[in-house]
Amino acid sequence: MENLDHFDCRILEELQRDAGQSQRALAERVGLSQNACWRRLKALEARGVIRNRTVVIDREKLGGSFIIFALIKTRHHSTDWLRKFRAHVSAIPEVIDFFRIGGEYDYLLKIVVNNMAGYDNVYKRLIENIELDTVTSYFAMEAIEEQRPLPLGRL
């Protein structure tokens, strides 16, 4: 775990809230001079704590109102199969989150599409040319909390 002080945590909290704010506004919000804030920001980036800065898009306004969580079980666990499977799933842009998990299933995918036909298309691409044992899908009815910031003081 990275060793972060109060100012580093404040910078990260503010950037999670709004990564597009000016450096001056960020410095004011965290209580540092602009130069000190910039140095800390660059250090967090150099250490890999900040990988990139993104924009949170309202997916529903762009037609991404259908969320599916797909659980996948496989009989294959070789390094070669895993490499092929990772590349296969990563090439499907509608899969926005992809995890290898423990328990009854091996993988969890979060898929965003605009309707059931969109999911059917993703499903067909998912099972194409790759052997899977089971694909079980759950459809989200409501996003109660989504893309929440990391709770920095509790990690």
Side-chain angles (χ1 to χ4, degrees), residues 45-65:
E45 289 171 344
R47 290 167 35 201
V49 174
I50 298 174
R51 291 190 318 210
N52 59 36
R53 299 184 209 179
T54 63
V55 173
V56 177
I57 297 172
D58 186 330
R59 62 176 167 67
E60 290 191 28
K61 289 185 178 179
L62 298 175
S65 59

Side-chain angles (χ1 to χ4, degrees), residues 40-133:
R40 284 175 174 271
L41 191 57
K42 291 301 169 193
L44 290 166
E45 289 171 344
R47 290 167 35 201
V49 174
I50 298 174
R51 291 190 318 210
N52 59 36
R53 299 184 209 179
T54 63
V55 173
V56 177
I57 297 172
D58 186 330
R59 62 176 167 67
E60 290 191 28
K61 289 185 178 179
L62 298 175
S65 59
F66 202 60
I67 305 293
I68 300 96
F69 295 95
L71 291 162
I72 296 173
K73 197 182 297 187
T74 180
R75 287 181 230 120
H76 304 281
H77 299 281
S78 72
T79 302
D80 188 51
W81 187 91
L82 178 57
R83 182 188 46 74
K84 180 181 173 186
F85 180 65
R86 283 182 177 185
H88 179 73
V89 173
S90 294
I92 302 171
E94 294 89 346
V95 176
I96 63 165
D97 290 312
F98 178 23
F99 299 94
R100 186 167 59 92
I101 60 175
E104 184 179 347
Y105 292 91
D106 300 306
Y107 301 94
L108 170 67
L109 284 58
K110 182 178 178 183
I111 301 165
V112 176
V113 292
N114 60 353
N115 57 28
M116 182 61 83
Y119 174 62
D120 189 45
N121 181 278
V122 170
Y123 176 80
K124 288 173 184 173
R125 284 183 283 156
L126 180 64
I127 64 170
E128 184 178 53
N129 299 323
I130 195 130
E131 188 180 340
L132 302 174
D133 187 43

Side-chain angles (χ1 to χ4, degrees), residues 11-27 29 34 37 41 45 50 52-57:
I11 289 168
L12 295 172
E13 288 167 352
E14 282 297 320
L15 289 176
Q16 286 184 99
R17 189 184 60 73
D18 180 4
Q21 63 186 297
S22 71
Q23 189 177 324
R24 177 176 292 164
L26 178 62
R29 284 194 172 92
Q34 201 169 338
C37 185
L41 191 57
E45 289 171 344
I50 298 174
N52 59 36
R53 299 184 209 179
T54 63
V55 173
V56 177
I57 297 172

